[in-house]
Amino acid sequence: MAIIEVRDLRKVYGGRPVVDGVSFAVEEGEIFGFLGPNGAGKTTTVECVEGLRVPDSGSVRVAGLDPVADHREVTGLLGAQLQESELQAKLTVREALEMYSAFYDRPVDWRPLAERLGLGEKLGTRFAKLSGGQKQRLFIALALVGGPRVVVLDELTTGLDPRARRDTWQLIEDVRASGVTVLLVTHFMEEAQRLCDRIAVIDQGRIAALDTPSGLIGRSASNTVISFTPSRPLAVHELDGLPAAVSVATDEKDGRITVNGTDETVNAVITLLARNHITAHQLRVVDATLDDAFLDLTGASA
């Protein structure tokens, strides 16, 4: 059952559509991700879901409620960690958690949440004295303290070191395991591939693709890359006609060859080398990643 439904969402700034006909549904209990280049419309889309922006047209429903018309009810069931947030400089971590807990009828116990996010020893520290990563962890805690049915996390691990990032991933997986639906905006491909059940790739205000991480990777023009240095030079014409090959490139400096294609292409390369008694030095076969799929779909980097 869909807990979030967005239909033909449109938002225009200065005559330019930032979100242009976006539609999607999020099932209860899943982690739904948004990927896209900077300025693609990801944050504007989730801010409409949160009720922070009013759509110019289209409809948004969270548990059947309109985030604008039913804003009070929606804020009671939706937690949010915004891309950019600030708190009063002299507010301590404990005071922030206690204050946010008071906003809800049935808040969770913030103490174990603070411990899990590495804030246990910082409860008496003022907000202005926290590092960037500590501030980010505090905002994640504030998004979860109300015990929401839906939580929106916009660039949740920006500013975190690799260990803290992975600890946060585990926390989000635990949150989902408890039945909470997660809407995740991220630039980290590894994060999206590990956490998300489905991903919407947004480009220029429109959804370019919506699928599981493996489904998106499968759409990549070349889902396998084989590279090697042949024991003798190979002429380009010898590599022509490889089945399912998308591209073949030779490094002029060291003669290393890189072929983009599929598993069928890999088998054809190995057969070609064996038939010509050529040894493949430093042979590597690598599956395509979400990065490859993202580049194919948007032509941009995250």
Side-chain angles (χ1 to χ4, degrees):
M1 180 178 179
I3 191 169
I4 298 173
E5 292 182 288
V6 176
R7 296 181 182 176
D8 201 24
L9 179 65
R10 184 176 172 85
K11 185 67 180 177
V12 177
Y13 295 127
R16 183 177 70 88
V18 176
V19 178
D20 191 8
V22 165
S23 298
F24 62 91
V26 180
E27 301 300 314
E28 190 157 16
E30 78 172 326
I31 301 178
F32 188 94
F34 283 101
L35 284 175
N38 289 327
K42 305 183 300 295
T43 294
T44 299
T45 298
V46 298
E47 286 178 344
C48 289
V49 172
E50 295 161 333
L52 298 177
R53 296 192 185 275
V54 180
D56 291 320
S57 63
S59 66
V60 179
R61 294 292 182 269
V62 179
L65 301 169
D66 184 322
V68 177
D70 307 308
H71 190 68
R72 182 176 181 85
E73 292 88 342
V74 169
T75 54
L77 59 86
L78 184 147
Q81 172 260 324
L82 306 179
Q83 190 177 72
E84 295 183 8
S85 302
E86 286 293 328
L87 292 175
Q88 202 276 336
K90 294 184 178 180
L91 200 67
T92 67
V93 171
R94 177 185 289 105
E95 289 169 341
L97 290 164
E98 289 177 341
M99 179 177 67
Y100 272 65
S101 294
F103 297 156
Y104 300 95
D105 295 330
R106 296 181 181 85
V108 301
D109 186 348
W110 56 262
R111 294 165 185 81
L113 184 60
E115 289 290 341
R116 184 66 185 273
L117 285 165
L119 296 170
E121 297 180 358
K122 296 293 181 179
L123 295 179
T125 304
R126 299 185 189 278
F127 180 77
K129 298 295 183 180
L130 296 175
S131 68
Q134 290 164 349
K135 289 179 179 178
Q136 189 75 334
R137 279 178 271 168
L138 174 58
F139 287 124
I140 294 169
L142 297 178
L144 297 172
V145 76
R149 288 179 61 190
V150 177
V151 63
V152 179
L153 303 170
D154 196 345
E155 305 293 350
L156 84 160
T157 57
T158 299
L160 301 185
D161 61 54
R163 174 61 62 85
R165 182 176 298 135
R166 280 163 175 74
D167 288 346
T168 303
W169 291 351
Q170 185 60 58
L171 172 66
I172 300 310
E173 290 173 332
D174 292 347
V175 168
R176 192 270 294 278
S178 70
V180 176
T181 303
V182 179
L183 210 57
L184 175 68
V185 179
T186 181
H187 277 147
F188 292 108
M189 298 295 166
E190 183 185 1
E191 181 169 284
Q193 190 165 346
R194 168 169 169 172
L195 293 178
C196 296
D197 298 299
R198 291 187 299 145
I199 298 170
V201 178
I202 298 184
D203 190 30
Q204 298 182 32
R206 296 175 177 269
I207 291 183
L210 198 167
D211 208 334
T212 63
S214 60
L216 290 174
I217 292 170
R219 297 188 191 192
S220 177
S222 56
N223 56 37
T224 304
V225 179
I226 180 171
S227 61
F228 61 94
T229 302
S231 56
R232 72 158 176 82
L234 268 173
V236 174
H237 70 83
E238 295 181 84
L239 297 168
D240 286 343
L242 288 172
V246 175
S247 65
V248 179
T250 303
D251 190 313
E252 295 181 358
K253 293 181 179 179
D254 59 10
R256 188 166 182 80
I257 295 171
T258 301
V259 181
N260 292 271
T262 66
D263 289 343
E264 185 182 2
T265 314
V266 174
N267 292 331
V269 169
I270 292 172
T271 299
L272 172 69
L273 296 175
R275 186 170 60 243
N276 290 279
H277 307 289
I278 297 173
T279 301
H281 298 293
Q282 298 176 319
L283 176 67
R284 294 186 63 195
V285 180
V286 181
D287 288 335
T289 65
L290 197 55
D291 296 69
D292 300 311
F294 180 86
L295 290 170
D296 286 342
L297 288 164
T298 66
S301 62

